[in-house]
Short mmCIF file of all heavy atoms in Angstrom, two decimals:
data_model
loop_
_atom_site.label_atom_id
_atom_site.label_comp_id
_atom_site.label_asym_id
_atom_site.label_seq_id
_atom_site.Cartn_x
_atom_site.Cartn_y
_atom_site.Cartn_z
N LYS L 199 -78.04 116.51 183.44
CA LYS L 199 -78.38 115.08 183.48
C LYS L 199 -77.20 114.17 183.19
O LYS L 199 -77.36 112.95 183.17
CB LYS L 199 -79.49 114.79 182.45
CG LYS L 199 -80.76 115.62 182.62
CD LYS L 199 -81.51 115.24 183.87
CE LYS L 199 -82.16 113.90 183.75
NZ LYS L 199 -82.95 113.55 184.95
N THR L 200 -76.02 114.74 182.94
CA THR L 200 -74.88 113.92 182.51
C THR L 200 -73.69 114.09 183.44
O THR L 200 -73.68 114.96 184.31
CB THR L 200 -74.47 114.30 181.08
OG1 THR L 200 -74.19 115.72 181.02
CG2 THR L 200 -75.57 113.99 180.09
N GLU L 201 -72.68 113.27 183.21
CA GLU L 201 -71.46 113.33 184.01
C GLU L 201 -70.27 112.86 183.18
O GLU L 201 -70.43 112.43 182.03
CB GLU L 201 -71.60 112.47 185.28
CG GLU L 201 -72.07 111.06 185.03
CD GLU L 201 -72.49 110.35 186.32
OE1 GLU L 201 -72.34 110.93 187.39
OE2 GLU L 201 -72.96 109.20 186.22
N ASN L 202 -69.07 112.97 183.76
CA ASN L 202 -67.83 112.53 183.14
C ASN L 202 -67.55 113.26 181.82
O ASN L 202 -67.72 114.46 181.72
CB ASN L 202 -67.84 111.01 182.95
CG ASN L 202 -68.04 110.28 184.28
OD1 ASN L 202 -67.55 110.74 185.32
ND2 ASN L 202 -68.76 109.17 184.26
N ARG L 203 -67.17 112.50 180.76
CA ARG L 203 -66.74 113.13 179.51
C ARG L 203 -67.86 113.90 178.81
O ARG L 203 -67.64 114.97 178.24
CB ARG L 203 -66.16 112.07 178.57
CG ARG L 203 -64.78 111.58 178.95
CD ARG L 203 -64.22 110.69 177.85
NE ARG L 203 -62.85 110.26 178.15
CZ ARG L 203 -62.11 109.53 177.34
NH1 ARG L 203 -62.60 109.15 176.16
NH2 ARG L 203 -60.87 109.19 177.67
N LEU L 204 -69.04 113.31 178.81
CA LEU L 204 -70.16 113.98 178.16
C LEU L 204 -70.50 115.28 178.88
O LEU L 204 -70.80 116.30 178.24
CB LEU L 204 -71.39 113.06 178.12
CG LEU L 204 -72.63 113.61 177.40
CD1 LEU L 204 -72.29 114.04 175.98
CD2 LEU L 204 -73.73 112.57 177.39
N TYR L 205 -70.42 115.27 180.18
CA TYR L 205 -70.63 116.49 180.98
C TYR L 205 -69.61 117.55 180.58
O TYR L 205 -69.97 118.72 180.38
CB TYR L 205 -70.51 116.14 182.46
CG TYR L 205 -70.51 117.34 183.38
CD1 TYR L 205 -71.71 117.91 183.83
CD2 TYR L 205 -69.32 117.92 183.82
CE1 TYR L 205 -71.70 119.00 184.68
CE2 TYR L 205 -69.30 119.01 184.66
CZ TYR L 205 -70.50 119.55 185.09
OH TYR L 205 -70.49 120.64 185.93
N ALA L 206 -68.36 117.16 180.45
CA ALA L 206 -67.30 118.10 180.08
C ALA L 206 -67.56 118.70 178.70
O ALA L 206 -67.37 119.91 178.48
CB ALA L 206 -65.95 117.40 180.11
N LYS L 207 -68.00 117.87 177.76
CA LYS L 207 -68.30 118.37 176.41
C LYS L 207 -69.48 119.34 176.44
O LYS L 207 -69.48 120.36 175.76
CB LYS L 207 -68.61 117.19 175.48
CG LYS L 207 -68.83 117.60 174.03
CD LYS L 207 -69.07 116.39 173.15
CE LYS L 207 -69.20 116.80 171.70
NZ LYS L 207 -67.96 117.32 171.11
N LEU L 208 -70.48 119.00 177.26
CA LEU L 208 -71.67 119.83 177.33
C LEU L 208 -71.41 121.18 177.99
O LEU L 208 -72.08 122.16 177.68
CB LEU L 208 -72.79 119.09 178.05
CG LEU L 208 -73.56 118.11 177.17
CD1 LEU L 208 -74.34 117.11 178.00
CD2 LEU L 208 -74.50 118.86 176.23
N THR L 209 -70.45 121.24 178.90
CA THR L 209 -70.12 122.54 179.50
C THR L 209 -69.63 123.52 178.42
O THR L 209 -69.89 124.72 178.51
CB THR L 209 -69.05 122.39 180.59
OG1 THR L 209 -67.87 121.78 180.03
CG2 THR L 209 -69.55 121.57 181.76
N ILE L 210 -68.96 122.99 177.40
CA ILE L 210 -68.52 123.83 176.28
C ILE L 210 -69.71 124.19 175.39
O ILE L 210 -69.87 125.34 174.97
CB ILE L 210 -67.44 123.10 175.46
CG1 ILE L 210 -66.21 122.81 176.34
CG2 ILE L 210 -67.04 123.93 174.24
CD1 ILE L 210 -65.19 121.92 175.68
N LEU L 211 -70.57 123.19 175.10
CA LEU L 211 -71.74 123.44 174.27
C LEU L 211 -72.69 124.44 174.92
O LEU L 211 -73.31 125.26 174.23
CB LEU L 211 -72.47 122.13 173.99
CG LEU L 211 -71.88 121.22 172.92
CD1 LEU L 211 -72.64 119.92 172.83
CD2 LEU L 211 -71.84 121.92 171.57
N VAL L 212 -72.82 124.38 176.23
CA VAL L 212 -73.68 125.32 176.94
C VAL L 212 -73.20 126.75 176.71
O VAL L 212 -74.00 127.66 176.42
CB VAL L 212 -73.72 125.00 178.46
CG1 VAL L 212 -74.26 126.18 179.24
CG2 VAL L 212 -74.58 123.78 178.72
N LYS L 213 -71.91 126.98 176.84
CA LYS L 213 -71.36 128.32 176.62
C LYS L 213 -71.56 128.78 175.18
O LYS L 213 -71.96 129.93 174.94
CB LYS L 213 -69.87 128.33 176.97
CG LYS L 213 -69.58 128.15 178.46
CD LYS L 213 -68.10 128.13 178.75
CE LYS L 213 -67.83 127.91 180.23
NZ LYS L 213 -66.36 127.84 180.53
N ASN L 214 -71.31 127.89 174.23
CA ASN L 214 -71.45 128.27 172.82
C ASN L 214 -72.90 128.55 172.44
O ASN L 214 -73.17 129.51 171.71
CB ASN L 214 -70.88 127.16 171.93
CG ASN L 214 -69.38 127.02 172.07
OD1 ASN L 214 -68.69 127.95 172.50
ND2 ASN L 214 -68.84 125.87 171.70
N THR L 215 -73.82 127.71 172.90
CA THR L 215 -75.23 127.93 172.58
C THR L 215 -75.77 129.19 173.27
O THR L 215 -76.64 129.87 172.71
CB THR L 215 -76.09 126.72 172.97
OG1 THR L 215 -75.87 126.39 174.36
CG2 THR L 215 -75.76 125.51 172.12
N THR L 216 -75.26 129.49 174.45
CA THR L 216 -75.69 130.71 175.14
C THR L 216 -75.23 131.95 174.38
O THR L 216 -75.99 132.91 174.21
CB THR L 216 -75.14 130.74 176.57
OG1 THR L 216 -75.60 129.60 177.29
CG2 THR L 216 -75.60 132.00 177.31
N ILE L 217 -74.00 131.93 173.90
CA ILE L 217 -73.49 133.05 173.08
C ILE L 217 -74.34 133.20 171.81
O ILE L 217 -74.71 134.31 171.42
CB ILE L 217 -72.02 132.81 172.72
CG1 ILE L 217 -71.14 132.90 173.97
CG2 ILE L 217 -71.55 133.83 171.68
CD1 ILE L 217 -69.71 132.46 173.75
N PHE L 218 -74.65 132.07 171.18
CA PHE L 218 -75.49 132.07 169.97
C PHE L 218 -76.84 132.71 170.26
O PHE L 218 -77.31 133.57 169.51
CB PHE L 218 -75.65 130.63 169.48
CG PHE L 218 -76.48 130.46 168.25
CD1 PHE L 218 -76.49 131.42 167.24
CD2 PHE L 218 -77.27 129.32 168.07
CE1 PHE L 218 -77.27 131.26 166.10
CE2 PHE L 218 -78.04 129.15 166.94
CZ PHE L 218 -78.04 130.12 165.95
N PHE L 219 -77.48 132.32 171.37
CA PHE L 219 -78.79 132.87 171.69
C PHE L 219 -78.71 134.36 172.02
O PHE L 219 -79.55 135.15 171.56
CB PHE L 219 -79.42 132.13 172.87
CG PHE L 219 -80.63 132.85 173.42
CD1 PHE L 219 -81.80 132.92 172.68
CD2 PHE L 219 -80.59 133.49 174.65
CE1 PHE L 219 -82.91 133.62 173.15
CE2 PHE L 219 -81.69 134.19 175.13
CZ PHE L 219 -82.85 134.24 174.38
N VAL L 220 -77.73 134.77 172.81
CA VAL L 220 -77.61 136.18 173.20
C VAL L 220 -77.46 137.05 171.96
O VAL L 220 -78.09 138.12 171.85
CB VAL L 220 -76.43 136.38 174.17
CG1 VAL L 220 -76.15 137.87 174.37
CG2 VAL L 220 -76.72 135.72 175.51
N LEU L 221 -76.65 136.61 171.02
CA LEU L 221 -76.46 137.37 169.78
C LEU L 221 -77.76 137.46 168.98
O LEU L 221 -78.13 138.54 168.49
CB LEU L 221 -75.36 136.73 168.93
CG LEU L 221 -73.93 136.82 169.48
CD1 LEU L 221 -72.97 136.03 168.60
CD2 LEU L 221 -73.48 138.27 169.59
N MET L 222 -78.45 136.34 168.85
CA MET L 222 -79.71 136.32 168.09
C MET L 222 -80.80 137.12 168.80
O MET L 222 -81.59 137.83 168.15
CB MET L 222 -80.17 134.89 167.86
CG MET L 222 -79.28 134.06 166.95
SD MET L 222 -78.96 134.85 165.35
CE MET L 222 -80.62 135.10 164.73
N PHE L 223 -80.85 137.03 170.11
CA PHE L 223 -81.83 137.79 170.91
C PHE L 223 -81.60 139.28 170.72
O PHE L 223 -82.55 140.05 170.51
CB PHE L 223 -81.70 137.38 172.38
CG PHE L 223 -82.62 138.12 173.31
CD1 PHE L 223 -83.89 138.51 172.92
CD2 PHE L 223 -82.22 138.41 174.61
CE1 PHE L 223 -84.74 139.18 173.78
CE2 PHE L 223 -83.06 139.07 175.48
CZ PHE L 223 -84.32 139.47 175.07
N ALA L 224 -80.35 139.72 170.80
CA ALA L 224 -80.03 141.13 170.63
C ALA L 224 -80.39 141.62 169.23
O ALA L 224 -81.01 142.68 169.06
CB ALA L 224 -78.55 141.36 170.92
#
Side-chain angles (χ1 to χ4, degrees):
K199 304 291 289 183
T200 56
E201 51 193 356
N202 303 325
R203 285 188 176 183
L204 183 55
Y205 172 86
K207 185 178 184 67
L208 278 162
T209 57
I210 299 172
L211 282 175
V212 163
K213 292 179 181 178
N214 292 339
T215 54
T216 301
I217 292 170
F218 180 34
F219 168 69
V220 170
L221 291 175
M222 293 307 303
F223 178 34

